[in-house]
Amino acid sequence: MMPSRIIQFAQQHLVVLNLLMFQVVWWLSILYLNSSLWLTIPLLLVHFSLSSAVRKDFGLMLKIAIFGFAFDNALMFAGVFQFQQFPFWLLLIWCHFAISLRYSLGFTQKLSWQLNALLGGVFGCLSYLAGARFEAVVLPFEVFYSALILFFVWLVMFPMFVNVTRTQ
């Protein structure tokens, strides 16, 4: 059990902790795939143990992670992605990403949908391209075509996720 001072400090700095946890989860997941779950699941539980809005966070996480993971699976079945094994690790990235929308990515709620579309298109695409560089995912099409598909997918999805977060 953590002393109350540490818990209080962590709660006050949850935005920064969320940013750090998301980065740790992304890197662990990309580098160690399903072997990372023994670390990424507890990090999700750490967030919920510190959050003062557990129900909101959990509801948002379910909505976005289920949709995002299902959409990634649709892209996988369409041949845009290939994985060596079923990517449970990707579901955990989606869970942490969803929560980040209320915390470390909370600033996006104040941006226009056009700027969010551009940010999503660029950085969503880059995230998958980076994952491919680390061999977490295979992109069977040429890099240009994969990037184009991912750019347009995230051009639409990110502003939608931000809007869902605003309504939570």
Side-chain angles (χ1 to χ4, degrees):
M1 193 91 197
M2 287 194 279
S4 62
R5 273 194 198 169
I6 294 173
I7 292 172
Q8 191 174 31
F9 178 83
Q11 288 173 334
Q12 291 172 348
H13 296 89
L14 196 51
V15 170
V16 174
L17 285 172
N18 173 265
L19 173 67
L20 294 172
M21 282 194 291
F22 182 66
Q23 292 303 308
V24 167
V25 166
W26 191 90
W27 281 104
L28 285 171
S29 297
I30 294 302
L31 295 175
Y32 299 106
L33 308 174
N34 287 339
S35 298
S36 69
L37 296 176
W38 71 276
L39 289 169
T40 57
I41 292 171
L43 284 174
L44 193 59
L45 298 175
V46 166
H47 170 83
F48 284 110
S49 71
L50 297 173
S51 174
S52 60
V54 173
R55 291 184 87 174
K56 279 186 174 183
D57 291 350
F58 190 75
L60 180 68
M61 182 188 74
L62 283 180
K63 286 177 188 172
I64 290 177
I66 289 171
F67 178 84
F69 191 64
F71 200 85
D72 272 354
N73 275 278
L75 290 173
M76 181 176 63
F77 290 119
V80 177
F81 302 146
Q82 291 176 351
F83 297 98
Q84 294 175 352
Q85 56 184 319
F86 189 78
F88 293 107
W89 56 270
L90 187 56
L91 178 58
L92 266 291
I93 288 178
W94 274 107
C95 290
H96 284 273
F97 169 74
I99 291 169
S100 293
L101 289 165
R102 289 197 64 227
Y103 295 92
S104 57
L105 294 173
F107 71 93
T108 60
Q109 294 178 31
K110 297 175 184 166
L111 303 177
S112 69
W113 70 267
Q114 296 94 336
L115 186 54
N116 277 324
L118 183 61
L119 289 172
V122 170
F123 293 105
C125 171
L126 288 176
S127 181
Y128 286 84
L129 294 177
R133 291 285 289 189
F134 285 99
E135 299 177 355
V137 60
V138 175
L139 303 172
F141 303 131
E142 290 180 36
V143 173
F144 175 78
Y145 294 115
S146 295
L148 201 58
I149 292 167
L150 292 166
F151 176 82
F152 283 109
V153 164
W154 278 91
L155 187 80
V156 173
M157 285 199 333
F158 190 69
M160 183 183 69
F161 293 148
V162 171
N163 194 48
V164 167
T165 306
R166 285 181 184 136
T167 63
Q168 286 289 300

